[in-house]
């Protein structure tokens, strides 16, 4: 079992930055790939970014590539999402998730989810 707790959301103006954190429980954190997803009002939960257990490989949605950076610190059981150049369309609840599966871009492949943190970008 893995428990995930996100933090770092908030209200920011367009062009600003936020850093989301996700703290995981358990002693086998490095064996899980981690992902960030987001869900805007009235929309489905969409993939944002993912990172392998080793941290060597990362993946991004086209909409955030070049603006967001995912990273992890296995010694701290944590994964991060640095978000720069935020735009109003980035407004959503952001979730971190953990998986032991190979394909990381689909939310259905993730077994464990956090409760989410709200990110609001004003224009």
């Amino acid at each position: 079992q893995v428990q995930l707790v996100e933090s770092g959301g908030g209200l920011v103006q367009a062009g600003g930055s936020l850093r989301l954190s996700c703290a995981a429980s358990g002693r086998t954190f490095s064996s899980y790939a981690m992902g960030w997803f987001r869900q805007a009002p009235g929309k489905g939960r969409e993939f944002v970014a993912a990172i392998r257990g080793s941290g060597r490989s990362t993946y991004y949605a086209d909409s955030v590539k070049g603006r967001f950076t995912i990273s992890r610190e296995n010694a701290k059981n944590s994964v991060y999402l640095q978000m720069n150049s935020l735009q109003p369309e980035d407004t959503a609840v952001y979730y971190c998730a953990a998986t032991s599966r190979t394909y990381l871009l689909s939310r259905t492949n993730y077994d464990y989810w956090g409760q989410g943190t709200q990110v609001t970008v004003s224009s």
Side-chain angles (χ1 to χ4, degrees), residues 63-79:
S63 59
V64 307
K65 203 170 293 184
R67 300 188 297 125
F68 291 11
T69 302
I70 188 172
S71 62
R72 65 189 296 160
E73 287 187 81
N74 287 340
K76 294 185 177 181
N77 279 17
S78 294
V79 62

Side-chain angles (χ1 to χ4, degrees), residues 63-114:
S63 59
V64 307
K65 203 170 293 184
R67 300 188 297 125
F68 291 11
T69 302
I70 188 172
S71 62
R72 65 189 296 160
E73 287 187 81
N74 287 340
K76 294 185 177 181
N77 279 17
S78 294
V79 62
Y80 309 100
L81 187 68
Q82 177 66 45
M83 305 186 295
N84 298 330
S85 301
L86 283 162
Q87 299 302 315
E89 53 265 34
D90 295 316
T91 295
V93 177
Y94 283 71
Y95 299 88
C96 73
T99 182
S100 55
R101 295 181 173 85
T102 301
Y103 186 70
L104 302 183
L105 275 63
S106 172
R107 63 179 178 83
T108 60
N109 273 11
Y110 286 77
D111 302 303
Y112 305 101
W113 292 85

Side-chain angles (χ1 to χ4, degrees), residues 31-66:
S31 67
Y32 290 93
M34 301 296 296
W36 284 98
F37 290 77
R38 67 186 181 185
Q39 189 165 13
K43 296 188 177 181
R45 193 168 299 189
E46 65 174 0
F47 171 78
V48 174
I51 187 168
R52 296 287 179 193
S54 65
R56 293 194 186 101
S57 297
T58 57
Y59 309 87
Y60 296 94
D62 287 342
S63 59
V64 307
K65 203 170 293 184

Side-chain angles (χ1 to χ4, degrees), residues 9-14 18 86-88 90-92 94 118-122:
L11 174 64
V12 64
Q13 290 187 331
L18 281 175
L86 283 162
Q87 299 302 315
D90 295 316
T91 295
Y94 283 71
Q118 176 71 47
V119 172
T120 303
V121 185
S122 63

Side-chain angles (χ1 to χ4, degrees), residues 3-23:
Q3 293 185 323
L4 304 171
V5 179
E6 303 97 333
S7 61
L11 174 64
V12 64
Q13 290 187 331
S17 298
L18 281 175
R19 188 192 194 210
L20 305 184
S21 299
C22 175

